[in-house]
Amino acid sequence: MKVKTLGQFIIEKQSDFPYAKGELSRLLRDIGIAGKIVNREVSKAGLVEILGETGEVNVQGEKVKKLDVFANEQFIAAFKAGGEVCAIASEENDDIIPIDSEISKNAKYVVAMDPLDGSSNIDVNVSVGTIFSIYRRTSLSGAGTINDFMQRGTEQVAAGYIIYGSSCMLVYTTGKGVNGFTLDPSIGEFCLSHPNMRTPQNGNVYSVNEGNYLHFPTGVKKYIKYCQEEDKATNRPFSSRYIGSGVADIHRNLITGGIYIYPTTTKSPKGKLRLLYECNPLAFILEQAGGIASNGNKRIMELDITELHQRTPLFLGSSEMVKVALDFMEKYKEAEV
Ligand code: AHM
Ligand code: MG
């Protein structure tokens, strides 16, 4: 069987964007390269000194692990060296990183990313991931500004994630379906392994941190009980699967069918996950694969964004499952007021 590498695939697909001059292709290729370097470090995590906490606290108030810092630096360096990006937003940085260099003076894009999602899982050998989202800049020239990021998810040009798991995979979309590439370590290339990924309309997995149950909205509590009830026709009870590493949970559900929920809680009344670099890119991928992404009553990609690190609740996954969860949210919305 002839193997198709990420590089070959990107070149082939470039004709999908007749107005583009190859910058997006180069940007995606740069992300693949940085991802390989991060994968190399993640797979050595148990071996080397790099493991452990730096002691710093990131803008979300969480302790930063060394690999988060490494991944952040690696992707930033790749974007700066590539010249296609005029600003970066990262979970690890309070403010945007403007880029104004000789090679980036014609840069058309901005990138938002979570360089290492699920990082509390690194030191226990559980999959982690990188999430990225690419927008066309709205500013005219020079370094990008924060306004370049204040765009709805529907404006994304491309989005994807890299999962550092039992194998390393890069999954991305440019709005024409979703394709997945698995890293073949023997040749050091991402190879097309999951062309045109579609998520099943229905599944039997629900993923939510049930430890927070008491603090969930009534609609979510009722939906969880629904998942646990016996019903032959709908194949219930569903299985509960929650890794606590969003990319891993969502990747599995994308393939097998399922729903991922991170609702509001009394502790996090706006939810935990971030709209710009977690929910919007994952929503774009899931929608492109035939799924649904909602905040409980609105489509994620149509939410207005006003802050870089804005949070939102998330209901994401197989269309039929998400629809049922949203029906519960609608039915019990009065219970919250
Ligand atoms: P992070 O970006 O700080 O790693 O947080 C995001 C992660 C998701 O990957 C995961 O699904 C969720 O937070 C787990 O949160 P919790 O431990 O509250 O269930
Ligand atoms: Mg994250």
Side-chain angles (χ1 to χ4, degrees):
M1 194 180 86
K2 181 153 166 32
V3 170
K4 188 172 288 174
T5 68
L6 176 65
Q8 289 166 335
F9 184 84
I10 287 173
I11 291 167
E12 254 174 45
K13 292 290 162 187
Q14 206 176 300
S15 55
D16 285 351
F17 304 96
Y19 51 85
K21 297 198 187 73
E23 292 97 330
L24 182 62
S25 303
R26 285 200 290 278
L27 181 50
L28 289 167
R29 191 203 53 197
D30 291 347
I31 290 172
I33 295 169
K36 282 192 247 182
I37 297 170
V38 171
N39 180 57
R40 186 188 66 201
E41 296 307 310
V42 168
S43 58
K44 290 197 297 203
L47 290 172
V48 286
E49 245 299 292
I50 203 161
L51 238 192
E53 295 165 2
T54 61
E56 292 168 33
V57 168
N58 75 6
V59 290
Q60 322 292 345
E62 302 144 336
K63 270 193 180 167
V64 172
K65 308 277 174 159
K66 279 185 181 170
L67 271 172
D68 304 36
V69 178
F70 179 84
N72 197 36
E73 287 170 355
Q74 205 58 51
F75 281 99
I76 292 170
F79 298 137
K80 284 187 172 168
E84 278 81 37
V85 168
C86 66
I88 304 162
S90 165
E91 179 176 335
E92 299 292 338
N93 297 81
D94 213 339
D95 299 315
I96 66 156
I97 301 159
I99 305 176
D100 191 6
S101 65
E102 192 49 36
I103 54 163
S104 70
K105 65 176 188 294
N106 296 318
K108 281 197 211 145
Y109 298 105
V110 295
V111 179
M113 63 170 172
D114 181 352
L116 212 57
D117 183 60
S119 46
S120 60
N121 283 315
I122 295 166
D123 27 8
V124 290
N125 211 348
V126 168
S127 303
V128 287
T130 297
I131 311 172
F132 61 89
S133 170
I134 301 173
Y135 290 85
R136 209 163 275 120
R137 71 183 302 170
T138 51
S139 55
L140 296 175
S141 60
T145 69
I146 187 157
N147 289 333
D148 289 313
F149 294 95
M150 300 295 109
Q151 304 190 51
R152 288 181 171 191
T154 46
E155 302 305 310
Q156 290 173 101
V157 173
Y161 60 77
I162 303 169
I163 176 167
Y164 310 103
S166 46
S167 54
C168 177
M169 266 191 85
L170 187 151
V171 174
Y172 82 93
T173 181
T174 54
K176 292 180 187 297
V178 180
N179 290 286
F181 300 81
T182 303
L183 182 64
D184 179 342
S186 67
I187 57 168
E189 294 276 7
F190 282 107
C191 299
L192 182 62
S193 53
H194 296 62
N196 194 20
M197 294 172 85
R198 303 291 299 166
T199 195
Q201 283 191 322
N202 242 316
N204 70 345
V205 168
Y206 71 101
S207 309
V208 60
N209 185 345
E210 284 183 72
N212 295 326
Y213 183 87
L214 290 179
H215 307 285
F216 286 159
T218 310
V220 174
K221 287 182 179 163
K222 298 277 185 193
Y223 178 68
I224 291 173
K225 287 294 159 216
Y226 164 89
C227 292
Q228 296 169 346
E229 280 160 17
E230 301 269 345
D231 179 52
K232 278 219 170 67
T234 50
N235 206 13
R236 284 178 289 149
F238 298 151
S239 288
S240 164
R241 294 279 181 274
Y242 190 74
I243 298 170
S245 206
V247 172
D249 274 313
I250 290 160
H251 180 71
R252 180 205 51 239
N253 290 1
L254 166 62
I255 291 174
T256 63
I259 183 169
Y260 172 96
I261 305 177
Y262 208 110
T264 58
T265 62
T266 24
K267 212 169 66 193
S268 315
K270 293 180 173 167
K272 174 185 180 191
L273 302 181
R274 294 72 166 188
L275 178 58
L276 180 63
Y277 44 80
E278 292 179 325
C279 298
N280 269 335
L282 294 168
F284 193 15
I285 290 180
L286 259 292
E287 282 197 11
Q288 283 293 316
I292 293 183
S294 167
N295 73 347
N297 61 55
K298 275 201 200 110
R299 186 179 169 212
I300 285 286
M301 291 208 288
E302 288 177 11
L303 296 177
D304 285 329
I305 180 151
T306 52
E307 291 170 44
L308 217 49
H309 299 287
Q310 189 168 325
R311 295 175 192 266
T312 175
L314 178 65
F315 296 71
L316 182 78
S318 295
S319 54
E320 294 307 320
M321 294 182 87
V322 177
K323 278 184 204 158
V324 173
L326 297 181
D327 287 346
F328 276 97
M329 291 304 285
E330 175 63 25
K331 188 165 169 202
Y332 292 100
K333 67 174 186 236
E334 308 303 337
E336 261 55 67
V337 266

